Amino acid sequence: MTTGPEAAPDEPMYRILLIEDDQGDALLVEELLYDTGLRFELTTRTTLAEARTELAGAPIDCVLLDLHLPDVSGIDAVAAVRALAPHTAVIVLTGLSEAQAGTDAMAAGAQDYLVKGKVEADLLHRTVRYAVYRSQTERASSEAQASRLRAEENARLERGLLPQPMLDTSTVRVTSRYLPGAAMALLGGDFLDVVEGDDGLLHAVVGDVSGHGPDAAALGVCLRIAWRSLVLGGHRGEDLLHLMERILIAERGDQQLFATCTLLTLDQDTATATLHLAGHHEPLLTTTEGTRELSAAHGIALGIVPGLRSWPSTVIPLPATGALTLYTDGLTEGHNGATNERLGVEGLLTLIGTLPSADPAAHVDLLIKETHELNAGRHSDDLAVLRLDWGVRPGGGAEGTQRTRS
């Protein structure tokens, strides 16, 4: 490796890889680089095979590429280097008799070309700087495009993971929130939904597919849509979970994904809620006396032991006025703010006890904000929260139907 002349600290250091099998030409290029005044680190390799190791290692700012190497030549050489280092500037070195070679090389992806024997220090200086600048600009544009496409994909998946509740006559107020684990992160597989069936009962689900990224999110959307369709088709309880598990197994392919979920059926006429827990934790019940975690029988997560069908039901009596909160573990797995321990359900209940009584949507937003502040960015997971309120408002009067989404 050859290091160029010293320069001002704010001058960039160019990491240059010269792929040239002619020792005389390689020496001329090195001397020209010294004359440019650029700060550089030069590594020389004589074949593409030798250059592969360099391109796979530390980032290279610019490749000076001879078009006639022992193991590859012409446009194939440009294509090979671009495939190995798509975001690295490539400057082709051509012979005097190769008038068309340079333009062909640029069409194949090179940033520029130089004709051997006609290169002066000033020209090489400008060519390297502009080629690297163009390459960096192309990379930034590519990353911005990828970021935009990722955001659009997230938006589409989020619409599937956080649908509009289907309510007709129910007076239950529905508040739902879905948040990815980090800014610009791909969504995970958390999902939720609420529908009112033809039987007049309110049915709700909150679930979490293992893993993160588009595969988990797509499976979460699939399970959410399947749940809604099956509920509207009259399926309930263990039968519903069995069908959801069959769909999960069919859709997950060779990936060993599984899903946890809570199914809830709220019957305001009998003032009861029926729960089925498939590897998921219990909901929270809020009354005039405070908030507590419900006690319910546990069943196995979907996809863990297909065909076991172990999902017992639990019937919970409900007060005339209250709220049920279903959520994924993104709400409790963050740190508690004081130690390195997780917040947990007990910490969550303590936090809820310190929050002012407020409009349900404002309360959920404040709860999420407080858990994020306690966590201080040390742990992140997707988060889905579904709160169902019924009964009488604190100021009097019947609670009307209202749907709130994030």
Side-chain angles (χ1 to χ4, degrees):
M1 177 182 292
T2 303
T3 302
E6 293 293 331
D10 57 345
E11 282 292 319
M13 171 69 76
Y14 293 97
R15 290 156 295 186
I16 299 174
L17 173 63
L18 172 61
I19 311 177
E20 169 66 75
D21 65 323
D22 187 299
Q23 293 185 357
D25 286 344
L27 181 60
L28 289 174
V29 170
E30 183 178 338
E31 291 177 349
L32 278 171
L33 282 171
Y34 269 109
D35 292 340
T36 64
L38 293 171
R39 296 178 67 215
F40 67 90
E41 293 178 354
L42 177 66
T43 301
T44 302
R45 294 292 180 264
T46 59
T47 65
L48 179 64
E50 293 177 358
R52 288 179 185 273
T53 302
E54 299 299 329
L55 293 171
I60 299 294
D61 294 310
C62 182
V63 173
L64 299 177
L65 175 65
D66 179 32
L67 284 184
H68 300 287
L69 300 172
D71 52 352
V72 66
S73 63
I75 302 306
D76 291 341
V78 179
V81 171
R82 292 288 293 175
L84 292 168
H87 298 300
T88 297
V90 177
I91 300 173
V92 165
L93 304 176
T94 70
L96 291 172
S97 62
E98 299 174 303
Q100 187 62 33
T103 55
D104 290 345
M106 292 184 65
Q111 270 69 37
D112 212 332
Y113 72 94
L114 296 170
V115 179
K116 294 180 182 180
K118 289 191 175 182
V119 182
E120 296 180 354
D122 288 345
L123 175 59
L124 182 58
H125 180 281
R126 292 194 303 272
T127 303
V128 169
R129 293 194 66 173
Y130 291 161
V132 171
Y133 172 77
R134 285 195 296 271
S135 177
Q136 292 173 343
T137 301
E138 290 171 2
R139 180 172 186 170
S141 176
S142 176
E143 290 176 348
Q145 173 74 354
S147 177
R148 183 183 64 80
L149 293 175
R150 184 166 60 246
E152 291 177 354
E153 178 186 40
N154 281 2
R156 288 193 299 271
L157 289 171
E158 187 171 346
R159 285 194 294 271
L161 294 166
L162 182 59
Q164 183 68 32
M166 288 182 61
L167 304 178
D168 296 321
T169 62
S170 176
T171 59
V172 173
R173 176 171 181 172
V174 178
T175 303
S176 59
R177 296 289 186 270
Y178 187 102
L179 297 174
M184 297 308 297
L186 283 172
L187 297 173
D190 291 10
F191 61 94
L192 55 82
D193 202 355
V194 179
V195 300
E196 182 180 345
D198 293 338
D199 51 13
L201 304 180
L202 192 71
H203 304 276
V205 64
V206 165
D208 183 0
V209 176
S210 61
H212 298 277
D215 291 335
L219 186 55
V221 173
C222 178
L223 290 176
R224 200 278 304 167
I225 294 174
W227 175 86
R228 175 175 283 201
S229 300
L230 291 168
V231 166
L232 293 176
H235 296 277
R236 303 288 184 265
E238 182 182 295
D239 174 56
L240 172 57
L241 288 166
H242 170 64
L243 293 174
M244 289 178 65
E245 183 174 62
R246 289 187 61 187
I247 293 170
L248 180 148
I249 293 169
E251 294 294 330
R252 72 183 178 183
D254 58 358
Q255 299 186 79
Q256 295 304 307
L257 299 174
F258 64 90
T260 68
C261 65
T262 292
L263 303 188
L264 181 146
T265 299
L266 194 154
D267 187 341
Q268 288 183 275
D269 291 338
T270 63
T272 60
T274 302
L275 294 175
H276 289 82
L277 305 180
H280 211 76
H281 43 260
E282 297 91 334
L284 306 179
L285 175 63
T286 299
T287 67
T288 55
E289 298 176 353
T291 299
R292 62 183 176 87
E293 185 180 41
L294 293 173
S295 177
H298 282 258
I300 193 169
L302 306 181
I304 295 292
V305 185
L308 182 60
R309 299 182 67 145
S310 175
W311 302 296
S313 64
T314 302
V315 179
I316 306 293
L318 300 177
T321 301
L324 283 166
T325 302
L326 291 71
Y327 59 95
T328 57
D329 53 16
L331 195 63
T332 56
E333 282 197 345
H335 292 271
N336 62 12
T339 69
N340 287 326
E341 296 180 356
R342 303 300 184 189
L343 180 65
V345 177
E346 290 301 321
L348 181 65
L349 292 173
T350 300
L351 176 60
I352 291 174
T354 65
L355 299 179
S357 177
D359 172 82
H363 187 273
V364 170
D365 288 336
L366 183 58
L367 179 60
I368 293 173
K369 176 177 178 291
E370 292 294 329
T371 58
H372 281 186
E373 289 183 355
L374 286 174
N375 188 34
R378 289 173 292 180
H379 174 78
S380 62
D381 195 3
D382 293 346
L383 168 64
V385 179
L386 176 64
R387 174 167 166 157
L388 308 174
D389 286 77
W390 66 89
V392 180
R393 291 196 181 104
E399 179 73 60
T401 301
Q402 184 170 347
R403 302 138 196 199
T404 307
R405 305 170 75 237
S406 61

